[in-house]
C-alpha cells in the first residue's frame, strides 16, 4: 500500500480541522509533506542537498518538511511566505507565472494545488522548466476539475456550471475566516476566476495537464493518484472523475538528451 492506514486516518483528521486556524492548516500541510517525501523516495528522488522551490508556499507547512529532509528551500507566494528560520530557507513574494529566479537556479520544484489557480498554466510550466537545472525534478499536483473536490469550495455544485455553482454555494462556505486576511477575497466575484485578488479557480483536467506537460518539454516520470494504491488517472474521461488528486513527477532533460 502506498500510504499506511495510520497516515490516511491522520490526514483525514487534519483535513477536517485545517480551516480552524493557521496552525491547523500548517499541520495539514506538514502531514502531506511527510507522505509526499516517502512517495519521492520510492521514485528514487531524495531532497538532501537539493535546492527546492516551493511554489505557492502559503503558510509554509510543506517548506518545513523539505527543510527537515535536508533541502535548501526557496518559498514563493503572492503573499509573504512563512517566516521560517535557518540559513537554508528564504522566502519571496512573486508570481509563479514569472518566477524571479535565474535560469537553472533550482534542482527541484514543488507545485501542489497551484496550477488550477493560475490564468496561464502554460507560462507556469514554462517557468518551471526554465528555473530547473538539467536533470532536475518537479512535483506537480492538483484536484482535477471534474473530480468530486475539483470545484474546491463550490463542490459539488461545480458540476452544474459556474453560474449555478456560484448561486447555490452557501455564502458561509466561501467565508474562510482567518484565510480571508492573507488571501484577500474579491468582495463580489463574478466568476470562479475572480474569487481572489490575483488568482481564482480554472478548469484544470488530467488531459489538459498532460498536454501542457508535453508542450513544456518536461519528461513525465510518473503519473498517479496521490496517496492511493489504485489509480484511475490514465483512464479516459472516467479517470477525471475518479482521480481525487492527480500527481505528476516530471524531470527536465539533461543537456543533449534525446
Amino acid at each position: 500500500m502506498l500510504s499506511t492506514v495510520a497516515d490516511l486516518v491522520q490526514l483525514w483528521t487534519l483535513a477536517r480541522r485545517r480551516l480552524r486556524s493557521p496552525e491547523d492548516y500548517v499541520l495539514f500541510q506538514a502531514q502531506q509533506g511527510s507522505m509526499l517525501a516517502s512517495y519521492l523516495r520510492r521514485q528514487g528522488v531524495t531532497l538532501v542537498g537539493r535546492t527546492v522551490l516551493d511554489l505557492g508556499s502559503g503558510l509554509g507547512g510543506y517548506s518545513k518538511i523539505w527543510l527537515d529532509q535536508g533541502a535548501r528551500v526557496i518559498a514563493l507566494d503572492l503573499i509573504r511566505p512563512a517566516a521560517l528560520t535557518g540559513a537554508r530557507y528564504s522566502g519571496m513574494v512573486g508570481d509563479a507565472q514569472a518566477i524571479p529566479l535565474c535560469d537553472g537556479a533550482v534542482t527541484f520544484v514543488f507545485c501542489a494545488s497551484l496550477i488550477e489557480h493560475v490564468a496561464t498554466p502554460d507560462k507556469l510550466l514554462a517557468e518551471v522548466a526554465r528555473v530547473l537545472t538539467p536533470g532536475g525534478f518537479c512535483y506537480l499536483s492538483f484536484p482535477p476539475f471534474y473530480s468530486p473536490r475539483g470545484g474546491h469550495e463550490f463542490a459539488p455544485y461545480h458540476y452544474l456550471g459556474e453560474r449555478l455553482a456560484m448561486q447555490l454555494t452557501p455564502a458561509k462556505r466561501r467565508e474562510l475566516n482567518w484565510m480571508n486576511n492573507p488571501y484577500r477575497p474579491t468582495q463580489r466575484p463574478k466568476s470562479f476566476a475572480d474569487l481572489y485578488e490575483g488568482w481564482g479557480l480554472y478548469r484544470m483536467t488530467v488531459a489538459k495537464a498532460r498536454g501542457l506537460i508535453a508542450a513544456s518539454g518536461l519528461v513525465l516520470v510518473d503519473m498517479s493518484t496521490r496517496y492511493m494504491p489504485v489509480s484511475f488517472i490514465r483512464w479516459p474521461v472516467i479517470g477525471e472523475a475518479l482521480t481525487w488528486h492527480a500527481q505528476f513527477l516530471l524531470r527536465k532533460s539533461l543537456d543533449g538528451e534525446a
Side-chain angles (χ1 to χ4, degrees), residues 62-186:
Y62 287 117
S63 292
K64 184 180 184 306
I65 295 300
W66 310 146
L67 288 170
D68 292 344
Q69 294 290 314
R72 174 175 177 258
V73 177
I74 303 171
L76 179 73
D77 203 292
L78 289 175
I79 64 171
R80 187 176 299 279
L84 301 181
T85 59
R88 291 186 288 111
Y89 176 79
S90 60
M92 63 178 71
V93 176
D95 189 341
Q97 297 162 102
I99 299 171
L101 293 175
C102 63
D103 296 358
V106 301
T107 54
F108 191 94
V109 174
F110 180 73
C111 183
S113 296
L114 174 65
I115 195 170
E116 76 273 26
H117 294 302
V118 301
T120 55
D122 55 332
K123 288 185 179 179
L124 170 64
L125 287 178
E127 282 293 273
V128 167
R130 181 183 67 79
V131 300
L132 273 176
T133 58
F137 290 90
C138 170
Y139 176 87
L140 174 74
S141 75
F142 64 93
F145 186 79
Y146 295 107
S147 68
R149 295 304 304 166
H152 290 247
E153 62 263 46
F154 296 100
Y157 304 114
H158 67 297
Y159 288 124
L160 303 177
E162 183 176 67
R163 183 176 178 182
L164 279 175
M166 296 192 71
Q167 292 175 351
L168 294 173
T169 300
K172 64 179 181 180
R173 187 184 294 179
R174 284 188 275 157
E175 293 175 1
L176 299 179
N177 302 315
W178 60 267
M179 292 186 76
N180 283 344
N181 182 35
Y183 288 111
R184 303 185 303 275
T186 304

